Amino acid sequence: MADRTVAEAGVDLSPGARRLVHVNGRVQPGEVVVVVTDPTMRRYADAVAAAAREAGAAVTVCIIPMRDQDGQEPPPPVARAMAEAAVIYSPVRVSITHTRAMRTALEAGARVCMMTAYTDAIMASPALLETDFEAQADVCRRLGAAFTKGQSVRLTSPRGTDLRFGIAGRVANVLTNIPDPGELAPVPDIEVNVVPVTGSAEGTLIMDASVPYLGIGILEEPIVCAIRDGAIVDMTGGAQADFLRKHLESFVDPHCFNVAELGVGLNPNARLTGEMLEDEGVMGTIHIGIGTSYTLGGEIVAPTHYDLLMWEPTIAVDGRIVQQDKQILV
C-alpha cells in the first residue's frame, strides 16, 4: 500500500513517516498504534501505518467520514480504539484534536501525534525532517514553567496588540513534539500554550500573520479584535476578517468567540505557509486560540477551535518579559 501511495503521488512520504514514528511517536515493538484518518488523507495514514508496522507495532487504521467542522467528535467505536492506544496519529482534513474522545485518550496515557490537514509540503519540510526536537525541549519546558507559575499575562506587539488575561492555576501545555504519555504533539508545530482564566481576557488583538483554517491562510491585511470579558466582541479587517466572523456567527454560540489559548511557536525550521501545523510553530509568532479550551485544560466546549497568528510578540508574565520577538528570555 505504501509503495502504491508513493507511486500515485510522485512524492516519497516514507522519510517523513519514519520521522513521525521513530523520532516523534517513539513507537516501540508491540505497542498499540491507532491511525485515525478520513478518505481524503489516506496517503498519509498508509505511510505512517506502514512505518509503524515496520517498527513492530500493532497498528489499526480507522477511516472516519470527514468531519463537518473542527472539534466534531469521531464515531464511538473510533473513540474507544483511541482510548486503548499507546500512540495515536490523526491525519484528518478537519481536526479531531479538541474533542472529548481525544481528551479521554490522553487521560488514558496515549501519546498523540496530530497530523491535521497534512500536506506533501509538511511531510517534506525541514520543520519535520531537520529539526532537533530534543534540543528545543529544554526551552519549551522553561517557558512552560514560567506560564504555570504565573498569575497574569500581558501580550503586546508593534502593530498595537495589547491584551491582558489571568493564568493563575493554569498548567501550561509543553508540546515538544516528542510526547510523553498523556501529551499531544502537533508535529511539526513545537509550541508552549496556556489557557487564560475563563472570562479574564481584556484588550485589543491585532493578528497579522495567518489564520491557517477554513482556507484563509496567510493574511492579506490584519484582523483587529476587541476583547471584553474573555471573548471577542468585535472583529474587523477586510474580507478575511469578515469571512471568519460570519463563519463563527453561523454557529449561534458565543463560546466560538472565547479566548481559549495563548500559544508560542518554537520550531526554528518552521516557515509561514498558511498550513496550520507548520505556521503555529514559526518562531517569532504567537497564536491566540478561540473557541474550545477544554482539551487544553480549560472549561469551555464550543463547536470550533481556530488559531489566529501574529508576528513580533512581546509576552510578560507577572510583569517580567519572557519572550520578545524570537527570543525566549527564561
Side-chain angles (χ1 to χ4, degrees), residues 28-269:
Q28 302 300 308
E31 285 194 305
V32 174
V33 172
V34 171
V35 182
V36 183
T37 190
D38 63 50
T40 73
M41 301 288 283
R42 282 292 304 275
R43 297 177 56 250
Y44 307 107
D46 290 343
V48 169
R53 290 189 185 103
E54 289 173 1
V59 180
T60 298
V61 177
C62 301
I63 305 169
I64 65 175
M66 193 163 68
R67 306 289 82 189
D68 296 325
Q69 69 262 341
D70 291 286
Q72 184 180 358
E73 296 291 327
V78 176
R80 288 193 290 271
M82 292 166 63
E84 297 177 1
V87 186
I88 297 171
Y89 294 91
S90 61
V92 289
R93 183 70 57 192
V94 181
S95 176
I96 60 168
T97 302
H98 298 278
T99 59
R100 292 182 177 88
M102 189 66 77
R103 181 70 173 264
T104 298
L106 291 168
E107 290 172 349
R111 310 192 301 277
V112 180
C113 292
M114 297 178 288
M115 297 175 62
T116 304
Y118 248 56
T119 64
D120 289 3
I122 293 176
M123 285 289 273
S125 170
L128 173 61
L129 297 180
E130 298 178 15
T131 297
D132 186 339
F133 294 100
E134 289 279 1
Q136 288 300 102
D138 184 59
V139 68
C140 290
R141 294 187 183 105
R142 295 200 310 271
L143 182 59
F147 284 147
T148 297
K149 294 174 183 175
Q151 302 292 306
S152 64
V153 166
R154 183 181 182 189
L155 172 66
T156 57
S157 77
R159 280 205 182 259
T161 288
D162 193 347
L163 183 68
R164 300 171 186 264
F165 53 85
I167 54 171
R170 296 304 201 198
V171 176
N173 297 292
V174 178
L175 308 182
T176 63
N177 278 307
I178 41 176
D180 288 328
E183 292 183 348
L184 291 166
V187 188
D189 161 33
I190 301 175
E191 71 170 80
V192 175
N193 65 60
V194 66
V195 177
V197 172
T198 301
S200 67
E202 298 278 344
T204 301
L205 188 63
I206 302 179
M207 313 311 286
D208 59 355
S210 75
V211 178
Y213 298 83
L214 305 170
I216 297 173
I218 295 173
L219 292 176
E220 298 168 1
E221 59 182 287
I223 296 177
V224 180
C225 301
I227 296 171
R228 301 288 180 271
D229 298 323
I232 295 171
V233 296
D234 189 47
M235 179 184 291
T236 59
Q240 290 168 311
D242 290 343
F243 175 80
L244 177 59
R245 185 187 67 253
K246 290 175 183 176
H247 173 78
L248 294 168
E249 289 173 345
S250 72
F251 292 94
V252 195
D253 185 338
H255 288 332
C256 291
F257 292 93
N258 172 59
V259 177
E261 171 193 5
L262 166 65
V264 179
L266 294 168
N267 188 327
N269 293 313

